[in-house]
Amino acid sequence: MVVAPPNPARSEKLEPIELPVIDLSADRSEVSKLIVKACEQYGFFKAVHHGVSDDVIASMEEEGLGFFTKPVCEKQRAGPAGPFGYGIKSIGFNGDSGEVEYLLLHTNPSSISQLSHTISDDPKKFSSAVSSYIEAVKRLACEILDLMAEGLGVHDPSLLSNMIRDVDSDSMFRLNHYPPSSFHTQPPSHRATTTTEIGFGEHTDPQMLTILRSNDVGGLQICVAGGTWVPVTPDPTAFCINVGDVLQAMTNGRFMSVRHRALTNGYKYRMSMAYFGAPPPHAWLSVPPELVTPHRPLLYRPFTWAEYKKASYSLRLGDSRLQLFLK
């Protein structure tokens, strides 16, 4: 089982791991079992035959890369991120930083449309690409949450997915761009001893689940038992799905929200696109009664997403949040 300790050891030992690859077009009951098993053992899995069209993905990648290749002065028109908009190196509000530039957008269509005017020379095209992509991965996220609920034996299979279907869902979309490591852009006499740098530091995702897509460039790592960082093999044909803190709480600890990070990668840029499925701010988040037993008593007190989000923003990127909500 993958375990996310509160303060994992800073081991740099790299051992490859192949996450479970789940074919979403297979028999539904079998798929739901495989998803539950992957979320209990790894907190991560890869989804193939996911139903998101290549055209929708390609359009979003084109718009994202088009923005990141602009001169810095043009990109800064969309920032600083507070939290939405363009950010570079500075992550969040508490001093975290990394070798990354990013766009963070709320999934609300009017918010996307408004911010598009500072991001693109063709805001309608950009807004259309983002909205189409978000709608497609939101459908995927809802399908996966339904499969999770079915596999867990929750009485209402739409209990989880209804939270991100809600018109007031606080879901977000982030484009991350990681430049090649500065090791390769410096003269040999000025190079450090390491060939990689932290792009996005270790953290768990606070929301329910994340739907991640990246180009065929490595960099994502997860933290396994003992604090070892393990690279995840990139796969441009799949989406990488990971459990967030809210889902760990709502499954009474059966699913694991695992620490992960991103490193810069050698000579190539890496661009990732992450959809973070989140409940409405005032949604009451509690464990379904089917998941509380004498052998697995209630771990977390009920809370709202607004309460949890406030706690998340008050802490550093790598701080543990869920322990604040233990029963």
Side-chain angles (χ1 to χ4, degrees), residues 222-298:
I222 62 176
C223 187
V224 299
T228 301
W229 286 102
V230 180
V232 175
T233 306
D235 183 352
T237 68
F239 280 96
C240 189
I241 317 296
N242 67 274
V243 173
D245 294 349
V246 165
L247 199 54
Q248 176 172 324
M250 292 191 70
T251 60
N252 205 27
R254 279 187 62 175
F255 289 0
M256 295 298 298
S257 179
V258 173
R259 287 178 178 268
H260 52 284
R261 67 182 184 183
L263 303 185
T264 58
N265 185 282
Y267 298 96
K268 297 180 180 179
Y269 79 90
R270 178 173 183 264
M271 189 175 77
S272 64
M273 307 187 297
Y275 169 85
F276 303 99
H282 299 294
W284 195 245
L285 307 174
S286 59
V287 179
E290 297 89 342
L291 302 183
V292 181
T293 69
H295 299 292
R296 185 179 285 271
L298 188 66

Side-chain angles (χ1 to χ4, degrees), residues 9-259:
R10 306 291 177 147
S11 171
E12 298 301 323
K13 182 180 179 182
L14 302 180
E15 300 175 351
I17 188 172
E18 292 299 331
L19 295 175
V21 178
I22 300 178
D23 181 353
L24 298 183
S25 68
D27 176 75
R28 187 174 183 87
S29 62
E30 185 63 23
V31 170
S32 65
K33 292 175 185 176
L34 291 173
I35 288 176
V36 168
K37 183 178 179 181
C39 292
E40 290 176 334
Q41 292 186 332
Y42 295 93
F44 277 77
F45 65 92
K46 293 180 180 180
V48 296
H49 297 142
H50 41 68
V52 181
S53 78
D54 291 341
D55 289 344
V56 167
I57 294 170
S59 294
M60 188 64 257
E61 288 178 338
E62 179 183 356
E63 292 299 316
L65 189 57
F67 173 78
F68 288 123
T69 54
K70 285 184 172 185
V72 173
C73 60
E74 292 186 29
K75 289 184 284 191
Q76 287 177 333
R77 291 176 50 218
F84 302 115
Y86 174 69
I88 182 167
K89 296 197 174 182
S90 178
I91 303 170
F93 305 106
N94 297 302
D96 292 295
S97 62
E99 294 301 313
V100 63
E101 57 178 343
Y102 63 90
L103 273 175
L104 180 62
L105 306 171
H106 197 281
T107 56
N108 181 286
S110 61
S111 177
I112 295 169
S113 178
Q114 182 177 2
L115 200 54
S116 293
H117 290 275
T118 65
I119 294 172
S120 175
D121 299 328
D122 190 342
K124 287 186 177 180
K125 183 182 177 187
F126 181 87
S127 181
S128 176
V130 173
S131 295
S132 295
Y133 184 84
I134 286 174
E135 188 60 33
V137 294
K138 177 182 175 181
R139 285 196 299 269
L140 173 60
C142 288
E143 176 67 8
I144 289 171
L145 287 169
D146 286 347
L147 287 162
M148 288 174 172
E150 291 171 24
L152 289 166
V154 175
H155 72 284
D156 179 1
S158 61
L159 175 70
L160 301 174
S161 62
N162 280 343
M163 292 188 179
I164 63 174
R165 286 193 183 99
D166 194 291
V167 67
D168 294 322
S169 165
D170 195 36
S171 300
M172 300 180 188
F173 177 57
R174 182 194 289 270
L175 289 160
N176 288 326
H177 182 254
Y178 302 95
S181 171
S182 63
F183 174 89
H184 298 289
T185 60
Q186 296 174 351
S189 60
H190 291 79
R191 291 179 181 174
T193 57
T194 180
T195 61
T196 57
E197 298 168 316
I198 295 294
F200 207 104
E202 61 179 272
H203 64 285
T204 59
D205 294 339
Q207 295 89 354
M208 296 184 73
L209 85 169
T210 303
I211 310 287
L212 179 71
R213 167 90 186 186
S214 66
N215 59 339
D216 195 15
V217 176
L220 176 65
Q221 298 183 342
I222 62 176
C223 187
V224 299
T228 301
W229 286 102
V230 180
V232 175
T233 306
D235 183 352
T237 68
F239 280 96
C240 189
I241 317 296
N242 67 274
V243 173
D245 294 349
V246 165
L247 199 54
Q248 176 172 324
M250 292 191 70
T251 60
N252 205 27
R254 279 187 62 175
F255 289 0
M256 295 298 298
S257 179
V258 173
R259 287 178 178 268

Side-chain angles (χ1 to χ4, degrees), residues 296-315:
R296 185 179 285 271
L298 188 66
L299 290 177
Y300 304 100
R301 64 175 177 82
F303 54 88
T304 65
W305 170 239
E307 185 182 2
Y308 196 78
K309 187 176 179 180
K310 181 179 179 181
S312 298
Y313 280 6
S314 70
L315 300 173

